[in-house]
Amino acid sequence: MQKNWEKEQKNAGEELMRLLAVMRELRSEHGCPWDREQTHQSLKRYLIEETYEAVEAIEENSDEKLCEELGDVLLQVVFHAQIAAEEGRFD
């Protein structure tokens, strides 16, 4: 049982690193123009919207919707963290 948990934890860490790399690429000069021009202010509405959708999934007791919406919230968190890192705001 312990080995399975360790394997799942390692895979999750690898997937998170992959997500961070994708976001860095999207924000790079070779990435997506829309992603590059986003700021904390321009993304604020999306973070709020995705958070409300996650809360709605919780209220509906829908694991399937919650899983999807938490993924969307995570993407927003990573997006904001990348912007802050680029600006030297996070160590």
Side-chain angles (χ1 to χ4, degrees):
M1 185 72 167
Q2 180 69 19
K3 290 189 185 225
N4 286 339
W5 181 82
E6 288 172 355
K7 183 178 178 183
E8 288 176 15
Q9 187 178 24
K10 182 180 182 216
N11 289 341
E14 290 170 358
E15 291 298 316
L16 183 57
M17 295 305 291
R18 198 167 123 229
L19 174 60
L20 296 174
V22 167
M23 183 56 68
R24 279 192 304 272
E25 180 64 25
L26 287 171
R27 295 272 304 166
S28 77
E29 64 184 38
H30 304 291
C32 173
W34 184 88
D35 288 322
R36 279 196 311 271
E37 60 189 42
Q38 298 313 303
T39 65
H40 291 301
Q41 288 299 318
S42 69
L43 291 171
K44 187 171 49 174
R45 69 180 184 180
Y46 301 110
L47 179 58
I48 292 167
E49 177 183 325
E50 297 303 345
T51 302
Y52 274 121
E53 290 175 0
V55 169
E56 184 177 288
I58 291 168
E59 289 173 348
E60 293 175 4
N61 201 28
S62 172
D63 291 341
E64 184 177 326
K65 286 183 182 179
L66 181 58
C67 183
E68 180 181 332
E69 297 307 332
L70 288 177
D72 293 344
V73 170
L74 177 60
L75 181 62
Q76 289 300 309
V77 169
V78 169
F79 211 146
H80 284 276
Q82 179 61 35
I83 292 169
E86 291 168 6
E87 296 172 351
R89 298 169 86 178
F90 289 174
D91 292 336

